[in-house]
């Protein structure tokens, strides 16, 4: 169980199959990168759109990461909704995450889970975005979520360089499962991408790191 926060990372989603970074962890080794992620198409939302609609437009195209299905998007209206989606039931760090997000001025969020397609690549890729009060709050949450994972799991963790996105990238070896957690701030929006792959299959790290840079360049505005 990898639990994470801030939404954490690696938190589990209430979904029994989702790994959560807080209690126990399981993961494995990656088999290698795949193809390069396609560039992100930037569509600037109009001022009449709701925060939820604006954030959904900022999600990457469903085909940006190979070997997973399109999935569907759902809203995360409150900090509790976000934590319930990302943390496993009974996670002792969940209440603190709700308080932290509330204090940071949480406005709205969206999440998309993409299950495996075929026998290669991740078992699940989870992408989410949520908006906080300002850029400083977003950057602080990025750091807090990564710190939470590091402090709550005994599984081996390696840092992953996100390049221009300049956020936090963690690769967690949970034994029979390989987990990649990426989070960064673009303006006052916090992005998170979690990839869970069974042992011997790729978490698509190269594609996800490339995608993170594309999203950062597209949406890192004041």
């Amino acid at each position: 169980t990898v639990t994470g926060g801030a939404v954490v990372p690696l938190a589990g989603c209430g979904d029994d199959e989702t790994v959560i970074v807080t209690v126990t962890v399981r993961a494995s080794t990656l088999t290698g990168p795949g193809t390069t992620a396609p560039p992100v198409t930037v569509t600037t939302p109009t001022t009449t759109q709701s925060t939820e609609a604006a954030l959904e437009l900022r999600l990457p195209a469903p085909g940006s990461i190979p070997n997973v299905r399109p999935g569907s998007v759902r809203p995360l209206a409150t900090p509790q909704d976000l934590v319930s989606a990302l943390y496993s039931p009974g996670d002792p760090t969940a209440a603190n995450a709700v308080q932290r997000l509330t204090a940071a001025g949480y406005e709205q969020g969206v999440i998309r889970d993409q299950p495996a397609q075929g026998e290669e690549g991740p078992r699940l890729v989870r992408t989410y975005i949520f908006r906080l009060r300002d850029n400083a709050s977003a950057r602080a949450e990025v750091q807090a979520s990564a710190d939470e994972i590091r402090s709550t799991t005994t599984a081996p963790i390696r840092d992953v360089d996100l390049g221009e996105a300049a956020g936090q990238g963690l690769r967690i070896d949970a034994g029979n499962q390989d987990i990649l957690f990426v989070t960064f701030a673009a303006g006052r929006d916090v992005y998170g991408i979690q990839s869970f792959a069974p042992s011997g299959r790729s978490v698509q790290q190269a594609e996800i790191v490339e995608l993170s840079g594309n999203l950062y360049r597209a949406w890192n505005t004041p």
Side-chain angles (χ1 to χ4, degrees):
T1 249
V2 168
T3 144
V7 154
V8 150
L10 288 249
C13 130
D15 162 357
D16 289 341
E17 294 196 336
T18 300
V19 185
I20 303 173
V21 180
T22 269
V23 196
T24 326
V25 189
R26 325 160 187 175
S28 167
T29 354
L30 159 104
T31 51
T35 57
T36 300
V40 173
T41 300
V42 179
T43 305
T44 304
T46 67
T47 56
T48 59
Q49 291 173 318
S50 68
T51 300
E52 178 190 329
L55 291 179
E56 184 169 348
L57 286 176
R58 297 184 180 211
L59 285 168
S64 299
I65 299 170
N67 299 313
V68 291
R69 299 180 183 183
S72 58
V73 179
R74 55 194 173 95
L76 301 169
T78 68
Q80 184 61 64
D81 291 338
L82 179 60
V83 170
S84 295
L86 295 179
Y87 289 71
S88 62
D91 187 331
T93 65
N96 180 66
V98 171
Q99 293 176 0
R100 188 173 69 232
L101 291 167
T102 301
Y106 185 94
E107 290 186 12
Q108 177 63 268
V110 291
I111 188 169
R112 181 176 64 207
D113 282 349
Q114 297 180 257
Q117 181 171 37
E119 299 299 318
E120 299 180 7
R123 171 178 62 80
L124 173 73
V125 170
R126 166 171 296 150
T127 304
Y128 55 88
I129 310 171
F130 57 93
R131 181 162 293 172
L132 299 180
R133 179 184 302 110
D134 51 34
N135 181 255
S137 298
R139 291 196 308 270
E141 181 56 33
V142 165
Q143 186 63 54
S145 64
D147 289 346
E148 184 177 81
I149 292 174
R150 290 188 177 98
S151 67
T152 56
T153 181
T154 58
I157 297 177
R158 289 182 287 127
D159 290 333
V160 174
D161 184 2
L162 299 186
E164 187 177 353
Q168 292 284 325
L170 304 178
R171 188 73 174 274
I172 302 160
D173 179 357
N176 65 346
Q177 187 152 205
D178 197 12
I179 303 166
L180 175 66
F181 167 58
V182 164
T183 184
F184 58 92
R188 58 197 185 102
D189 297 338
V190 175
Y191 281 76
I193 303 175
Q194 301 173 8
S195 177
F196 306 86
S199 178
R201 285 164 56 171
S202 173
V203 290
Q204 311 291 169
Q205 178 174 314
E207 293 85 349
I208 290 174
V209 169
E210 176 75 13
L211 178 61
S212 298
N214 290 339
L215 290 167
Y216 178 82
R217 286 187 293 274
W219 299 112
N220 186 40
T221 56

